[in-house]
Amino acid sequence: MARKLVLAGIAGVAVLASGCSGSTVIGADGPQPGVAAKVGDVQLSVSDADQITDAVCAAQEQNPQAQATTRVLAEQGIIAQWVTAQAARQLADQQGISVDAQPFDRSQIPGFDKLSDDEQDVVGAYADDISYLQAVGSKLKSDKKGLDLSGVDVTINPRYDINVEDDRLADAGNDLSAAVSDESVAGSAAQPTTEQLASLPDSQVCGTKPQPGASPSVPPIPVPQG
C-alpha cells in the first residue's frame, strides 16, 4: 500500500476479533468524562478521537478508490489502532526492542494544511503512532487475533464497544443503544451495504457516500468487522 494511503485507510488496519465482554472499561473505578481510552498512563480524549476521525474521513473522501463506511466503524477502528500502537510502544520498551520509525510525512496527509494547529498536533501524533506500529509490529508477539496485550493496562470507554478478550482487542458486540429505525440499523451495521450507506445522513458516513444502486468499490484495506 502506498504510504500516502496509510492515513486514509488507518480506520481499517486494526482488525477486531469477535469476543465477549472482559476488559476494564473507563468508569469502572469512577467516571472519567471525556476519556476515550487509556494505555498505562497515556490517554486519548474523546475530542481528540473525534478530530482524528474527522481527518480520516476527510482523507477517505479525497481517495476515489476508498470504500465508504459508517463513522461508527471508522471511529471504532481508530480507537483500536491507537490502543494497539500505545501498547506496542510499552511492550517494546519492556522487551528492550528498538526500531527506527521515522515521523509520518505530514505532506502525505490530505487536507493537513487546512487543519488548526491543535488538530495538526493530534492527527500528526496519531500518524506517527501508526508509523511506529508498522515498524515494530513484526517484532512483537501477535497472532491472527492481533497483538498480545498481556502485561499492558488497557482501559476503553464502553461507548466504542471494544473490549480486551484473552489479551486481544475484540469487538464487544454489546452496543447499549438498540437500533430501531431503518436509519439506525444502517448506522450500526457491522457490514454496511451500499444501500445502507446511501440511506445515512452525511454526518454518519466516513468517506464519499455512495449513490443508491451503485456498485460497491473495493476497499484499499480491510475494514474492521465484528
Side-chain angles (χ1 to χ4, degrees):
M1 177 170 50
R3 186 170 175 80
K4 66 181 180 181
L5 295 181
V6 172
L7 185 63
I10 50 181
V13 174
V15 179
L16 305 182
S18 36
C20 305
S21 176
S23 70
T24 303
V25 296
I26 290 176
D29 298 318
Q32 298 184 44
V35 177
K38 293 177 66 177
V39 180
D41 295 330
V42 183
Q43 70 178 41
L44 178 72
S45 71
V46 170
S47 61
D48 285 353
D50 287 343
Q51 288 181 350
I52 296 167
T53 304
D54 287 343
V56 168
C57 292
Q60 290 288 84
E61 288 183 5
Q62 297 184 48
N63 177 6
Q65 296 183 346
Q67 180 179 339
T69 187
T70 64
R71 185 178 174 91
V72 170
L73 276 178
E75 192 163 47
Q76 185 188 48
I78 285 166
I79 297 298
Q81 192 75 331
W82 182 88
V83 168
T84 303
Q86 300 307 323
R89 289 185 183 278
Q90 294 192 25
L91 289 169
D93 184 61
Q94 292 172 13
Q95 298 170 30
I97 296 172
S98 62
V99 295
D100 182 20
Q102 299 299 313
F104 193 92
D105 182 357
R106 272 50 170 171
S107 68
Q108 298 300 314
I109 302 176
F112 187 78
D113 58 343
K114 296 181 176 62
L115 300 176
S116 69
D117 289 345
D118 287 344
E119 290 170 335
Q120 287 184 353
D121 288 343
V122 171
V123 173
Y126 183 71
D128 288 345
D129 284 338
I130 305 310
S131 289
Y132 177 82
L133 181 58
Q134 291 176 334
V136 77
S138 63
K139 300 178 182 295
L140 296 172
K141 183 180 178 181
S142 64
D143 55 28
K144 63 181 180 180
K145 292 185 177 181
L147 184 68
D148 184 345
L149 301 177
S150 55
V152 181
D153 184 16
V154 175
T155 57
I156 303 173
N157 192 314
R159 68 178 283 182
Y160 301 110
D161 214 22
I162 304 170
N163 284 331
V164 177
E165 176 72 10
D166 297 328
D167 295 323
R168 304 295 191 279
L169 289 184
D171 182 347
N174 59 354
D175 189 350
L176 301 181
S177 60
V180 178
S181 67
D182 290 343
E183 180 179 294
S184 60
V185 169
S188 61
Q191 293 179 295
T193 64
T194 299
E195 292 298 322
Q196 286 177 321
L197 289 169
S199 72
L200 290 173
D202 292 346
S203 61
Q204 294 184 29
V205 178
C206 183
T208 301
K209 185 168 72 174
Q211 296 299 313
S215 298
S217 57
V218 178
I221 56 174
V223 173
Q225 307 297 345

